[in-house]
Amino acid sequence: MLKNLLLNRNLTCLFFILIISSFEKIHAQNAQVINFNSLQKIYSNKSDTTYFIHFFASWCLPCLNELPDFVSFSDQHKNEKVKMIFVSLDMKKDSIKTLPQLIEKFKINVPVFLLDETNADKWINMVDKKWSGSIPATLILNNEKKYKKFFSESMSLQTLNKLVK
Amino acid sequence: MIKNIFDFSLLVAICVLSLGFSIKGNKSSYDFHLKNVGGNFVSLKDYPSAKGFIIVFTCNHCPFAKLYPERLNGLNSKYKNLGVPLIAICSSDTITYAEDSFLKMIEKAKNENFNFPYLCDGEQLAAKNFGAQKTPHAFILWKEKNNWTIKYSGAIDDNGAEPDKVQHHYVSDAVDELLKSKKVSIPETKSIGCQIHFRK
């Protein structure tokens, strides 16, 4: 009897541990590790979709200040041909903890990628030649309309909405 | 009398104009006069025998800058004796980033055993003069015909997070080339860093 109770208790514990760890997994999956080539393939898609590729990091204060605007913008336009992609430039070891927290805090429900590149000199120019590498930065593309604009500065919801018109 | 007043105002006008031009002219000079964590002031002219300088704009708060203190100590120990000392400058906006205050700079230099000057650019003028945009951002100044010229601008090396996996030591490669009177083969690189927030 006592043995059974203990077993049951252990099973319940195990059950809770499994639930908690699966939650953690769901959050961790929200930030997908990607290299620059794969990222470029996603936004080079020749469709009439306007891509907003937003480069940020959880250590970047101006990025965090404008993040709510980017989230609202992507929510507002989710039924249109607008695709927001968040690209985190966090360091891999820090991001395991910081990114899931950030995704939850800001209620980001669009893809968040963690860029797995160490030598920025290789890929920064492929985003935009004028970019020095400072963040926040946003690349806006519509491949069918041959539209490309790059902003190496903070942007407001108002500015973003103007650009999509 | 009227003529004298006219002459005088003409003289004043010329003086003001030439002052304006001399300020403009000074922009090409990279020297500064900034307070070091040791309390002394440091300028380029304090090093009359220097062939060049490694100037690194850095700060306390930036996660990327935090990866480099040991490498900065290494660069200074290697190149100071060869006539190319390293000077670190913090131009951070301390209103936005309290962690970059002068007191915290002193603490940082002590804790990380900085073997180079760590200067406070409170007015952010040095950063503007060099065109530093983020931390860490390294520059190599070299003496040419008694003038300082920027020979390299960019990253310290190509791997912040994993020092043992660095393939290109941009700064030390460029200094080595300059010491051999060669042209710098990679004069500019780009890197991710924390944007220097310039107060308006």
Side-chain angles (χ1 to χ4, degrees), chain A:
Chain A
M1 176 69 188
L2 187 73
K3 205 178 166 189
N4 266 349
L5 196 76
L6 276 175
L7 189 72
N8 263 343
R9 200 178 267 178
N10 280 346
L11 278 174
T12 324
C13 272
L14 191 70
F15 181 66
F16 275 113
I17 289 169
L18 276 175
I19 287 182
I20 291 165
S21 61
S22 69
F23 266 128
E24 268 182 4
K25 257 190 188 157
I26 289 167
H27 286 307
Q29 275 166 5
N30 275 342
Q32 196 187 320
V33 179
I34 198 169
N35 63 21
F36 186 74
N37 279 345
S38 309
L39 176 72
Q40 211 179 17
K41 268 180 204 152
I42 295 174
Y43 68 69
S44 304
N45 180 5
K46 280 211 169 45
S47 69
D48 186 25
T49 302
T50 308
Y51 288 94
F52 284 72
I53 299 102
H54 182 58
F55 296 92
F56 77 106
S58 56
W59 45 260
C60 157
L61 200 62
C63 302
L64 298 185
N65 288 341
E66 66 172 15
L67 209 49
D69 276 15
F70 275 80
V71 174
S72 310
F73 175 79
S74 94
D75 286 347
Q76 281 173 22
H77 298 276
K78 65 179 176 200
N79 297 323
E80 298 162 34
K81 286 181 176 172
V82 172
K83 202 170 161 63
M84 175 71 76
I85 297 170
F86 288 100
V87 182
S88 152
L89 303 178
D90 280 276
M91 273 168 273
K92 234 176 169 178
K93 69 172 172 53
D94 305 328
S95 65
I96 298 166
K97 221 174 125 189
T98 55
L99 276 182
Q101 284 172 353
L102 194 127
I103 290 165
E104 200 183 312
K105 189 182 166 194
F106 289 93
K107 299 188 172 60
I108 303 176
N109 44 27
V110 290
V112 178
F113 292 104
L114 172 69
L115 195 65
D116 187 21
E117 294 287 345
T118 46
N119 186 4
D121 194 47
K122 274 201 216 154
W123 61 268
I124 284 179
N125 283 328
M126 290 197 252
V127 177
D128 193 275
K129 287 214 160 70
K130 292 189 297 293
W131 187 21
S132 78
S134 74
I135 49 174
T138 311
L139 175 68
I140 304 164
L141 292 163
N142 185 310
N143 297 313
E144 203 178 277
K145 290 185 179 133
K146 292 198 168 115
Y147 175 89
K148 185 190 173 196
K149 258 195 162 173
F150 181 75
F151 296 86
S152 173
E153 60 199 55
S154 293
M155 292 170 88
S156 67
L157 183 60
Q158 210 185 355
T159 325
L160 288 167
N161 274 324
K162 266 187 201 158
L163 285 163
V164 86
K165 273 175 193 163

Side-chain angles (χ1 to χ4, degrees), chain B residues 60-74:
Chain B
N60 293 354
H61 85 269
C62 178
F64 279 91
K66 282 178 187 168
L67 301 169
Y68 280 95
E70 221 182 292
R71 280 174 261 186
L72 298 187
N73 273 340

Side-chain angles (χ1 to χ4, degrees), chain B residues 1-15:
Chain B
M1 178 64 188
I2 291 171
K3 195 181 175 290
N4 275 348
I5 289 172
F6 178 74
D7 281 351
F8 181 69
S9 46
L10 193 69
L11 191 71
V12 169
I14 290 168
C15 282

